[in-house]
Coordinates of all heavy atoms in Angstrom, one line a residue:
Chain I
M83 N -16.8 -6.1 -25.6 CA -16.3 -7.0 -26.7 C -17.1 -8.2 -26.6 O -17.4 -8.9 -27.6 CB -14.8 -7.3 -26.5 CG -13.9 -6.1 -26.6 SD -12.1 -6.4 -26.6 CE -11.8 -6.9 -25.0
A84 N -17.6 -8.7 -25.4 CA -18.4 -9.8 -25.3 C -19.7 -9.7 -26.0 O -20.3 -10.6 -26.7 CB -18.5 -10.2 -23.9
E85 N -20.3 -8.5 -26.0 CA -21.5 -8.2 -26.6 C -21.4 -8.3 -28.2 O -22.4 -8.6 -28.8 CB -22.0 -6.7 -26.4 CG -22.5 -6.5 -25.1 CD -22.6 -5.1 -24.5 OE1 -22.0 -4.1 -25.2 OE2 -23.1 -4.7 -23.5
R86 N -20.3 -8.3 -28.6 CA -20.0 -8.6 -30.0 C -19.7 -10.1 -30.3 O -19.3 -10.3 -31.5 CB -18.7 -7.6 -30.6 CG -19.0 -6.2 -30.4 CD -17.7 -5.4 -30.8 NE -17.3 -5.7 -32.2 CZ -17.7 -4.9 -33.2 NH1 -18.6 -4.0 -33.0 NH2 -17.4 -5.2 -34.4
G87 N -19.8 -10.8 -29.4 CA -19.7 -12.2 -29.5 C -18.4 -12.9 -29.3 O -18.1 -14.0 -29.6
A88 N -17.5 -12.1 -28.7 CA -16.2 -12.5 -28.5 C -16.1 -13.4 -27.1 O -17.0 -13.2 -26.3 CB -15.2 -11.4 -28.4
L89 N -15.0 -14.3 -27.1 CA -14.9 -15.0 -25.9 C -13.7 -14.2 -25.2 O -12.6 -14.1 -25.5 CB -14.3 -16.4 -26.2 CG -15.4 -17.4 -26.6 CD1 -15.7 -17.2 -28.2 CD2 -14.9 -18.8 -26.4
V90 N -14.1 -13.6 -23.9 CA -13.2 -12.6 -23.4 C -12.7 -13.2 -22.0 O -13.4 -13.7 -21.2 CB -13.9 -11.3 -23.1 CG1 -12.8 -10.3 -22.6 CG2 -14.4 -10.7 -24.5
R91 N -11.4 -13.1 -21.9 CA -11.0 -13.2 -20.5 C -10.3 -12.0 -20.0 O -9.4 -11.4 -20.6 CB -9.9 -14.4 -20.4 CG -9.1 -14.5 -19.1 CD -8.6 -15.9 -18.9 NE -8.1 -16.1 -17.6 CZ -7.0 -16.7 -17.3 NH1 -6.2 -17.2 -18.1 NH2 -6.7 -16.9 -15.9
G92 N -10.8 -11.4 -18.9 CA -10.3 -10.2 -18.3 C -9.5 -10.5 -17.1 O -9.9 -11.2 -16.2
I93 N -8.3 -10.0 -17.1 CA -7.4 -10.2 -16.0 C -7.0 -8.8 -15.3 O -6.9 -7.9 -15.9 CB -6.1 -11.0 -16.3 CG1 -5.2 -10.3 -17.2 CG2 -6.4 -12.4 -16.9 CD1 -3.9 -10.8 -17.3
D94 N -6.9 -8.9 -13.9 CA -6.5 -7.6 -13.3 C -6.0 -8.1 -11.7 O -6.4 -9.2 -11.4 CB -7.9 -6.9 -13.0 CG -7.4 -5.4 -12.8 OD1 -6.9 -5.0 -11.7 OD2 -7.7 -4.5 -13.6
I95 N -5.2 -7.3 -11.3 CA -4.7 -7.6 -9.9 C -5.6 -7.0 -8.8 O -5.3 -7.3 -7.6 CB -3.3 -7.1 -9.7 CG1 -3.1 -5.6 -10.0 CG2 -2.3 -8.0 -10.5 CD1 -1.7 -5.1 -9.6
N96 N -6.5 -6.2 -9.1 CA -7.3 -5.6 -8.0 C -8.7 -6.3 -7.8 O -9.5 -6.1 -8.7 CB -7.4 -4.1 -8.5 CG -8.2 -3.2 -7.4 OD1 -8.9 -3.9 -6.5 ND2 -7.9 -2.0 -7.4
P97 N -8.8 -7.1 -6.8 CA -10.0 -7.9 -6.7 C -11.3 -7.1 -6.5 O -12.3 -7.5 -6.9 CB -9.8 -8.7 -5.3 CG -8.5 -8.1 -4.7 CD -7.8 -7.3 -5.7
A98 N -11.1 -5.9 -6.0 CA -12.2 -5.0 -5.8 C -12.8 -4.6 -7.2 O -14.1 -4.5 -7.3 CB -12.0 -3.8 -5.0
M99 N -12.0 -4.3 -8.0 CA -12.3 -3.8 -9.4 C -13.0 -5.1 -10.1 O -14.0 -4.9 -10.8 CB -11.0 -3.4 -10.2 CG -10.4 -2.2 -9.7 SD -11.2 -0.7 -10.2 CE -10.2 -0.1 -11.5
L100 N -12.4 -6.3 -9.9 CA -12.9 -7.4 -10.5 C -14.3 -7.7 -10.0 O -15.2 -8.2 -10.8 CB -12.1 -8.6 -10.3 CG -10.8 -8.5 -11.2 CD1 -9.8 -9.7 -10.6 CD2 -11.0 -8.8 -12.6
E101 N -14.6 -7.4 -8.7 CA -15.9 -7.7 -8.1 C -16.9 -6.8 -8.9 O -18.0 -7.3 -9.2 CB -15.8 -7.4 -6.7 CG -16.2 -8.4 -5.7 CD -15.9 -8.1 -4.2 OE1 -16.7 -7.3 -3.7 OE2 -15.0 -8.6 -3.7
I102 N -16.5 -5.7 -9.2 CA -17.4 -4.7 -9.9 C -17.7 -5.2 -11.3 O -18.8 -5.3 -11.8 CB -16.9 -3.3 -9.9 CG1 -16.9 -2.8 -8.4 CG2 -17.8 -2.4 -10.7 CD1 -16.4 -1.4 -8.2
A103 N -16.6 -5.7 -11.9 CA -16.7 -6.1 -13.2 C -17.7 -7.4 -13.3 O -18.6 -7.4 -14.2 CB -15.4 -6.7 -13.8
K104 N -17.6 -8.3 -12.4 CA -18.5 -9.4 -12.4 C -20.0 -9.0 -12.1 O -20.9 -9.5 -12.8 CB -18.1 -10.4 -11.2 CG -16.8 -11.2 -11.6 CD -16.4 -12.1 -10.5 CE -15.1 -12.6 -10.8 NZ -14.4 -13.0 -9.6
K105 N -20.1 -8.0 -11.3 CA -21.4 -7.5 -11.0 C -22.0 -6.9 -12.3 O -23.2 -7.1 -12.6 CB -21.4 -6.6 -9.8 CG -22.8 -6.4 -9.0 CD -22.5 -5.9 -7.7 CE -23.1 -4.5 -7.5 NZ -22.4 -3.8 -6.4
R106 N -21.3 -6.1 -12.9 CA -21.7 -5.4 -14.1 C -22.0 -6.4 -15.2 O -23.1 -6.3 -15.9 CB -20.6 -4.6 -14.7 CG -21.0 -3.8 -15.9 CD -19.8 -3.2 -16.7 NE -18.8 -2.5 -15.8 CZ -19.1 -1.2 -15.4 NH1 -20.1 -0.6 -15.8 NH2 -18.1 -0.6 -14.6
L107 N -21.3 -7.5 -15.3 CA -21.6 -8.5 -16.2 C -23.0 -9.2 -16.0 O -23.8 -9.3 -16.9 CB -20.4 -9.5 -16.2 CG -20.8 -10.8 -17.1 CD1 -20.6 -10.3 -18.6 CD2 -19.8 -11.9 -17.0
K108 N -23.2 -9.5 -14.7 CA -24.4 -10.0 -14.3 C -25.5 -9.1 -14.6 O -26.7 -9.7 -15.1 CB -24.4 -10.3 -12.7 CG -25.0 -11.6 -12.4 CD -24.6 -11.9 -11.0 CE -25.5 -12.7 -10.2 NZ -24.9 -12.7 -8.8
Q109 N -25.5 -7.8 -14.4 CA -26.5 -7.0 -14.5 C -26.8 -6.5 -15.9 O -27.8 -5.8 -16.3 CB -26.4 -5.6 -13.6 CG -26.6 -6.1 -12.1 CD -26.1 -5.0 -11.2 OE1 -25.5 -4.0 -11.6 NE2 -26.2 -5.3 -9.9
S110 N -25.8 -6.7 -16.8 CA -25.9 -6.2 -18.2 C -27.0 -6.9 -18.9 O -27.4 -8.0 -18.5 CB -24.5 -6.4 -19.0 OG -24.5 -7.7 -19.4
D111 N -27.5 -6.2 -19.9 CA -28.7 -6.9 -20.5 C -28.4 -7.7 -21.7 O -29.2 -7.9 -22.7 CB -29.7 -5.8 -21.0 CG -29.1 -4.5 -21.7 OD1 -27.9 -4.8 -22.0 OD2 -29.7 -3.5 -21.6
M112 N -27.1 -8.2 -21.8 CA -26.8 -9.0 -22.9 C -27.3 -10.5 -22.7 O -27.5 -10.9 -21.6 CB -25.3 -9.0 -23.2 CG -24.4 -9.9 -22.4 SD -22.7 -9.9 -23.1 CE -21.8 -9.1 -21.7
P113 N -27.6 -11.2 -23.8 CA -28.1 -12.6 -23.6 C -27.2 -13.5 -22.8 O -26.0 -13.4 -22.7 CB -28.1 -13.1 -25.1 CG -27.8 -12.0 -25.9 CD -27.3 -10.8 -25.2
E114 N -27.9 -14.3 -21.9 CA -27.2 -15.1 -20.9 C -26.1 -15.9 -21.6 O -25.0 -16.0 -20.9 CB -28.1 -16.1 -20.3 CG -29.1 -15.4 -19.2 CD -28.4 -14.8 -18.2 OE1 -27.3 -15.2 -17.6 OE2 -28.8 -13.6 -17.8
E115 N -26.3 -16.5 -22.8 CA -25.3 -17.3 -23.4 C -24.0 -16.5 -23.8 O -22.9 -17.0 -23.7 CB -25.8 -18.2 -24.6 CG -26.2 -17.3 -25.8 CD -27.7 -17.0 -25.6 OE1 -28.3 -17.0 -24.5 OE2 -28.4 -16.6 -26.7
L116 N -24.2 -15.3 -24.0 CA -23.0 -14.5 -24.2 C -22.3 -14.2 -23.0 O -21.0 -14.1 -22.9 CB -23.4 -13.1 -24.9 CG -23.8 -13.2 -26.4 CD1 -23.9 -11.8 -27.0 CD2 -22.8 -13.9 -27.2
K117 N -23.1 -14.1 -21.9 CA -22.4 -13.8 -20.6 C -21.5 -14.9 -20.2 O -20.5 -14.7 -19.5 CB -23.5 -13.6 -19.5 CG -24.2 -12.2 -19.5 CD -25.1 -12.0 -18.4 CE -25.9 -10.8 -18.5 NZ -26.9 -10.7 -17.5
E118 N -21.8 -16.1 -20.6 CA -21.0 -17.2 -20.2 C -19.6 -17.2 -21.0 O -18.6 -17.9 -20.5 CB -21.7 -18.5 -20.7 CG -22.6 -18.9 -19.4 CD -23.7 -19.9 -19.8 OE1 -23.4 -20.7 -20.8 OE2 -24.8 -19.9 -19.3
N119 N -19.6 -16.4 -22.0 CA -18.2 -16.2 -22.7 C -17.3 -15.3 -22.0 O -16.2 -15.2 -22.5 CB -18.5 -15.7 -24.1 CG -19.2 -16.7 -25.0 OD1 -19.3 -17.9 -24.7 ND2 -19.9 -16.2 -26.0
V120 N -17.6 -14.8 -20.9 CA -16.7 -13.8 -20.3 C -16.1 -14.4 -19.0 O -17.0 -15.1 -18.2 CB -17.4 -12.5 -19.9 CG1 -16.4 -11.5 -19.4 CG2 -18.1 -12.0 -21.0
E121 N -14.9 -14.3 -18.8 CA -14.3 -14.8 -17.5 C -13.4 -13.7 -16.9 O -12.6 -13.2 -17.6 CB -13.6 -16.1 -17.8 CG -12.8 -16.7 -16.6 CD -11.7 -17.8 -17.1 OE1 -11.6 -18.0 -18.2 OE2 -11.2 -18.1 -16.1
F122 N -13.5 -13.4 -15.7 CA -12.7 -12.4 -15.0 C -11.9 -13.1 -14.0 O -12.4 -13.9 -13.2 CB -13.5 -11.4 -14.3 CG -14.1 -10.5 -15.3 CD1 -15.5 -10.4 -15.2 CD2 -13.6 -9.5 -16.1 CE1 -16.4 -9.5 -16.2 CE2 -14.2 -8.7 -16.9 CZ -15.6 -8.6 -17.0
S123 N -10.5 -13.0 -14.1 CA -9.8 -13.6 -13.1 C -8.7 -12.8 -12.4 O -8.2 -11.8 -13.2 CB -9.1 -14.9 -13.6 OG -8.9 -14.9 -15.0

Side-chain angles (χ1 to χ4, degrees):
Chain I
M83 296 190 292
E85 279 164 356
R86 298 174 62 88
L89 284 80
V90 185
R91 175 158 189 218
I93 64 167
D94 202 293
I95 54 171
N96 187 336
M99 297 280 259
L100 287 171
E101 241 170 68
I102 294 177
K104 285 177 191 158
K105 206 155 109 204
R106 181 197 308 285
L107 178 67
K108 217 164 154 194
Q109 289 166 355
S110 80
D111 44 22
M112 82 171 115
E114 286 302 317
E115 63 272 22
L116 286 187
K117 284 186 190 176
E118 274 161 31
N119 292 341
V120 189
E121 180 196 353
F122 291 113
S123 27

